[in-house]
Amino acid sequence: MKYSRSAVHRRLHKIPALRFETQTLTSFGGLVLFQALNARLRLKERLGACFSHLPAHPIFGHHVVVLLLVVHLLLGYRELRDQRYYRDDPLVKRVLGLHRLPDVATLSRALASADPRSVDKLRVLVRQLVLERLQQVRPARLTVDFDGSVLSTQRAAEGSAVGFNKQKKGARSYYPLFCSVAQTGQVLDFAHRSGNVHDSRGALAFLTACVTHLRRALPGVQLEVRLDSAFFSEALVAYLDAAGIEFTISVPFERFVELKRLIEGRQRWRRITETLGYFESEWKPKRWASPARFVFIRQVAPQRARGPVQLDLYIPHEWGYEFKAIVTNKTVGPATVLAFHNGRGAQETLFGQLKSQCHADYVPVRRLVGNQLFLLAAVLSHNLGRELQMTAHPPERGTTPQRTTFWSFRELQTLRRTLLLRAGRLTRPDGELTLTLSANAQVRDELLHYLRALTPAA
């Protein structure tokens, strides 16, 4: 359809005068989706059960504070004091079931007054929500990834310590160990740790607990585990093999001189692609009781130039090899083992989204329990973003060699930009509560699609 020039362009007008009034206007019209999702999951009621053992707050319960934090993070806010930018929003108050929101001091006191039992019960709730989704999906194979991620802080927060930190050397930090589900892209659970521990500290106990929960909820599913070289140990390999769990673990070359000699003495490498070769061997470190299957990978890669470089001249690449070794009990071919193991890189993307979009790297208070609750709220907000999309859309793919998620998920920041941050007005024509939004066809169609999926048929 063609338009005339006058129908497209208009004269510039002066900047309008600003007027601020108390009206039932919301900046977050798309929040009705999470209101419907919360009702579907009975989230507020289940959060209340997590804090039922604590003395009741005279006005705001701990479960309301945690739900407020989840909404706070879903909307893209980071610090607790950012709450002042939406404290008068009528839709936020309606989602929380409040006439007025708690101030920042109340939030801080509520986080500090919780106890470790509250944290444990909230971890159980987060895990239950993920398991309920997996019980609906019923995958034949379920892949879980384990790894730690550094959460730095400038505070002298309880339980934090100075540890290995590439980005902020010398900063205090936490170093939680996460368990994520590859098929849904959700965090199943995490073990909170101080920043000065090794990656493998408490890993076997945490992994065993996660496996127990998964098998109890999903009997008969074939579990798969992917780990990096920090978790390489005979005890872990023996446990996974005895439990019938398929696994791949990166092997740390620096700990085994024999591996270097084994690779250097290798003359024949079988081809995977033009740049990838492999060989495999039944090998064991000296102190191990029994051998395991080791797959050795060689990849052609450009080498870093050494010595002075003349920038005005063309410098050709020097090519060499990069090596990696993987221990596994899988019976498939080396190419499939490599593709499966490389799929664990998706967990790093998940960590990036947790930190940049859910602000899991923020440490709001000095008390350990309060910071653990905030991290759980960040994990819950991420998982709810995935749950919203899984409820509204069918799976788009099955099991792939890399164990890609069954859905092509939108990032949380995309959901905010397209659906959540929509201006609207709450009114009551003929006594019926109504949210009026702009007449954008794309927004209308998507919001109604989500609401139909979230709202049970009458």
Side-chain angles (χ1 to χ4, degrees):
M1 182 177 181
K2 293 185 177 180
Y3 295 93
S4 66
R5 189 178 183 87
S6 60
V8 174
H9 295 277
R10 64 180 298 173
R11 293 182 179 181
L12 297 177
H13 295 277
K14 68 176 184 179
I15 298 174
L18 296 180
R19 187 172 65 183
F20 298 92
E21 296 180 350
T22 302
Q23 297 191 18
T24 53
L25 301 174
T26 178
S27 300
F28 314 109
L31 200 57
V32 294
L33 299 181
F34 286 96
Q35 182 181 12
L37 181 62
N38 292 349
R40 180 187 179 94
L41 299 176
R42 299 183 300 107
L43 188 59
K44 189 173 183 179
E45 175 187 341
R46 296 166 79 172
L47 283 172
C50 296
F51 301 94
S52 59
H53 63 283
L54 293 177
H57 190 278
I59 301 177
F60 301 105
H62 288 81
H63 66 295
V64 174
V65 170
V66 171
L67 186 58
L68 172 57
L69 288 177
V70 172
V71 172
H72 180 87
L73 296 169
L74 283 171
L75 297 179
Y77 293 98
R78 180 179 175 87
E79 299 182 5
L80 298 183
R81 61 186 175 184
D82 292 340
Q83 178 249 22
R84 65 185 185 271
Y85 291 109
Y86 62 82
R87 64 180 309 159
D88 296 323
D89 192 284
L91 192 55
V92 173
K93 291 188 283 189
R94 177 167 289 277
V95 170
L96 297 172
L98 300 174
H99 289 297
R100 65 179 295 126
L101 301 186
D103 57 25
V104 177
T106 303
L107 292 177
S108 298
R109 286 195 299 269
L111 289 175
S113 63
D115 62 357
R117 186 180 173 190
S118 305
V119 174
D120 292 339
K121 292 169 78 172
L122 189 53
R123 282 179 59 192
V124 171
L125 175 58
V126 170
R127 190 166 59 237
Q128 284 176 345
L129 292 172
V130 176
L131 292 176
E132 286 170 8
R133 168 53 57 179
L134 291 173
Q135 287 171 338
Q136 296 177 43
V137 177
R138 301 299 299 180
R141 290 178 169 270
L142 187 67
T143 310
V144 287
D145 298 308
F146 293 85
D147 204 358
S149 187
V150 177
L151 310 178
S152 300
T153 178
Q154 301 299 321
R155 300 177 183 271
E158 179 186 0
S160 65
V162 177
F164 178 73
N165 191 335
K166 286 184 179 180
Q167 304 299 326
K168 300 178 181 178
K169 295 182 179 179
R172 301 182 70 84
S173 63
Y174 295 119
Y175 192 34
L177 174 60
F178 290 90
C179 171
S180 62
V181 180
Q183 282 75 8
T184 62
Q186 294 176 300
V187 177
L188 178 69
D189 199 359
F190 66 82
H192 206 275
R193 308 177 298 184
S194 60
N196 60 348
V197 302
H198 188 264
D199 294 59
S200 61
R201 174 71 66 86
L204 182 55
F206 178 61
L207 187 150
T208 304
C210 291
V211 167
T212 301
H213 297 310
L214 288 168
R215 283 190 161 163
R216 185 178 301 151
L218 302 164
V221 70
Q222 176 59 60
L223 291 179
E224 301 174 316
V225 169
R226 299 183 291 201
L227 300 158
D228 69 12
S229 59
F231 301 93
F232 179 81
S233 69
E234 182 183 15
L236 197 55
V237 168
Y239 165 75
L240 292 171
D241 202 28
I245 300 170
E246 297 184 6
F247 66 87
T248 60
I249 307 176
S250 298
V251 181
F253 277 99
E254 65 275 6
R255 286 170 48 187
F256 303 102
V257 180
E258 302 93 335
L259 288 181
K260 182 179 179 181
R261 288 197 292 264
L262 192 64
I263 290 174
E264 288 177 343
R266 184 71 182 184
Q267 298 297 318
R268 182 182 179 186
W269 292 77
R270 297 182 181 274
R271 178 175 170 175
I272 298 176
T273 66
E274 291 184 358
T275 59
L276 279 174
Y278 79 92
F279 76 93
E280 56 181 293
S281 174
E282 288 288 323
W283 182 79
K284 75 177 185 68
K286 289 182 178 178
R287 296 185 179 181
W288 283 30
S290 58
R293 182 191 181 192
F294 284 75
V295 179
F296 301 90
I297 306 296
R298 181 179 75 173
Q299 181 170 14
V300 178
Q303 301 296 302
R304 182 181 299 177
R306 297 182 180 181
V309 176
Q310 293 177 277
L311 299 179
D312 56 338
L313 297 176
Y314 169 73
I315 301 176
H317 279 302
E318 294 184 3
W319 296 88
Y321 294 105
E322 292 181 352
F323 300 93
K324 72 166 63 174
I326 302 170
V327 60
T328 181
N329 64 347
K330 280 182 165 291
T331 57
V332 294
T336 306
V337 169
L338 180 61
F340 171 80
H341 190 67
N342 287 345
R344 65 180 299 275
Q347 192 183 39
E348 295 300 325
T349 303
L350 187 151
F351 288 160
Q353 293 177 9
L354 275 174
K355 292 180 179 181
S356 64
Q357 300 176 32
C358 301
H359 307 298
D361 59 341
Y362 180 55
V363 177
V365 295
R366 293 183 181 274
R367 282 210 60 201
L368 174 62
V369 170
N371 294 325
Q372 290 174 332
L373 287 179
F374 187 88
L375 179 56
L376 281 164
V379 168
L380 189 54
S381 65
H382 168 82
N383 287 353
L384 288 176
R386 295 293 170 92
E387 179 64 29
L388 175 69
Q389 298 175 73
M390 289 187 287
T391 302
H393 303 288
E396 300 173 26
R397 61 175 73 93
T399 301
T400 64
Q402 296 83 9
R403 303 304 189 263
T404 312
T405 55
F406 288 165
W407 288 261
S408 295
F409 290 109
R410 285 181 175 184
E411 294 184 5
L412 195 53
Q413 64 182 2
T414 304
L415 289 177
R416 290 190 195 113
R417 189 172 59 249
T418 56
L419 295 178
L420 287 185
L421 307 184
R422 312 299 303 187
R425 182 191 296 273
L426 284 168
T427 56
R428 286 186 177 273
D430 298 326
E432 181 178 0
L433 182 66
T434 303
L435 174 64
T436 305
L437 305 172
S438 63
N440 182 295
Q442 183 67 31
V443 174
R444 178 197 64 207
D445 293 344
E446 290 194 29
L447 280 175
L448 292 179
H449 171 77
Y450 277 105
L451 284 174
R452 281 192 294 268
L454 292 168
T455 306

